[in-house]
Amino acid sequence: MTSRAVIFGGSGQLGSELKASLPAAWTCEAPARVQLDIAAADSDLLTSELRRLGPEAVINAAAYTAVDLAESEPEQAHLVNAVAPANLARVCADLDIRLIHISTDFVFDGTADQPYLPEHECNPIGVYGASKLAGERAVMAAHPEAIIIRTSWLYSRFGANFVKTMLRLMAERESLAVVADQVGTPTWAAGLAQAAWSAAEHPGLHGIYHWSDNGACSWYDFAVAIRDEALDLGLLTRAVEIKPIPGTDYPTPAARPAYSVLDKNSSWRDLEVPAVPWRQQLQRMLLDLQEHKND
């Protein structure tokens, strides 16, 4: 029997990987934003559209992710990351549709010294994190059977991200300086997509889960790994010097958590998706990028 899903944010990194990794037992619809913008749609329109599409599950990968711009656009960030998910959650609850909502490590303040558990106290330090936390709370209040998946440092062959930016800069420059005192875990969006599909296939699960790849590194460590793996694959022709710098040398409008490693043990157990080291996932993504370089 085939199940149907609706993906919001289908043109983004995760949405693209969700469509690329569609399980055999599923079909999906991914309405373009111009067709159905959940930040602009009222409950009646959402209800009508979801009744028409008839999904068993909705995966909400739509988000306002411009972390720095959010500091000057708090209302827009709150609309997309909190108000829209709340409305979607109410409609999904009314229609008895499973909801998987994607959130972020930015709900934490980064002061921990060990990986954050899903139940750890949240304390966002910027507008983006605050808007995502408000969305989490609104989703769970409206749809207690929903699943929220927090993730971190997302990248893919699709869209704009740190890996692709580093590859471009390494091809253009003789040296780079990268922040070395912010620690987290990179996440290949293809692995997150696998976790989200597993969440859709486990209707008995609900609540908050964490998903990133296994291990931890700084942005500097990540950049060095990108360079070295890209050299091995021939994606780069020379080894660019990468200099570690403190975050204070690279000021941004929004503060970043100094430590945002997520504890994924409950996800690996309940979602039955294996842990994969972040560097191994980076290798897979770069191979994927190489194979699709002419797309």
Side-chain angles (χ1 to χ4, degrees):
M1 181 177 177
T2 301
S3 298
R4 175 173 291 186
V6 169
I7 300 166
F8 291 109
S11 61
Q13 294 185 85
L14 176 57
S16 297
E17 295 287 4
L18 284 164
K19 291 184 290 185
S21 61
L22 183 70
W26 288 77
T27 62
C28 78
E29 298 281 346
R33 188 174 173 184
V34 295
Q35 297 172 305
L36 183 58
D37 182 355
I38 63 170
D42 60 22
S43 297
D44 289 343
L45 177 58
L46 268 178
T47 299
S48 173
E49 285 300 292
L50 288 179
R51 278 182 173 154
R52 180 181 67 82
L53 294 169
E56 282 76 28
V58 165
I59 303 176
N60 183 29
Y64 182 111
T65 58
V67 175
D68 290 323
L69 190 59
E71 296 297 311
S72 58
E73 293 185 351
E75 296 84 2
Q76 184 64 18
H78 187 76
L79 172 64
V80 176
N81 291 341
V83 176
N87 189 34
L88 178 62
R90 284 191 292 270
V91 171
C92 286
D94 288 344
L95 298 179
D96 195 25
I97 298 171
R98 182 150 181 75
L99 174 62
I100 296 96
H101 175 69
I102 307 301
S103 191
T104 175
D105 59 325
F106 273 62
V107 299
F108 299 118
D109 59 17
T111 60
D113 57 5
Q114 58 186 352
Y116 284 98
L117 293 163
E119 60 269 23
H120 197 104
E121 181 180 359
C122 295
N123 184 34
I125 56 176
V127 170
Y128 167 69
S131 69
K132 292 296 288 183
L133 179 58
E136 286 186 11
R137 290 173 172 170
V139 165
M140 294 311 299
H143 195 340
E145 299 305 310
I147 279 188
I148 290 171
I149 303 177
R150 293 177 183 144
T151 192
S152 64
W153 296 22
L154 200 65
Y155 67 94
S156 165
R157 70 177 169 92
F158 300 101
N161 53 69
F162 184 79
V163 174
K164 292 170 71 175
T165 297
M166 286 296 103
L167 290 174
R168 175 177 58 80
L169 293 177
M170 288 175 192
E172 297 172 351
R173 300 182 184 179
E174 295 298 323
S175 66
L176 296 174
V178 181
V179 171
D181 56 1
Q182 294 170 10
V183 175
T185 306
T187 306
W188 184 26
L192 177 59
Q194 185 182 6
W197 283 122
S198 181
E201 293 176 333
H202 285 74
L205 300 180
H206 64 276
I208 297 174
Y209 285 86
H210 287 169
W211 188 267
S212 62
D213 294 323
N214 199 11
C217 65
S218 69
W219 288 111
Y220 167 77
D221 298 327
F222 193 20
V224 170
I226 293 165
R227 180 196 64 190
D228 293 349
E229 297 295 343
L231 282 168
D232 286 347
L233 289 173
L235 292 170
L236 292 174
T237 58
R238 57 190 174 85
V240 174
E241 180 186 15
I242 304 175
K243 303 174 184 177
I245 60 170
T248 52
D249 283 3
Y250 189 74
T252 55
R256 265 67 171 173
Y259 180 89
S260 61
V261 180
L262 303 174
D263 186 303
K264 283 84 64 174
N265 285 299
S266 61
S267 297
W268 296 330
R269 180 193 67 229
D270 294 351
L271 298 178
E272 300 177 308
V273 178
V276 183
W278 67 264
R279 185 148 182 163
Q280 185 175 331
Q281 293 289 63
L282 172 62
Q283 294 168 349
R284 292 174 177 176
M285 178 271 186
L286 291 174
L287 281 169
D288 189 41
L289 185 66
Q290 187 177 55
E291 290 171 3
H292 292 88
K293 63 182 178 181
N294 296 320
D295 290 1

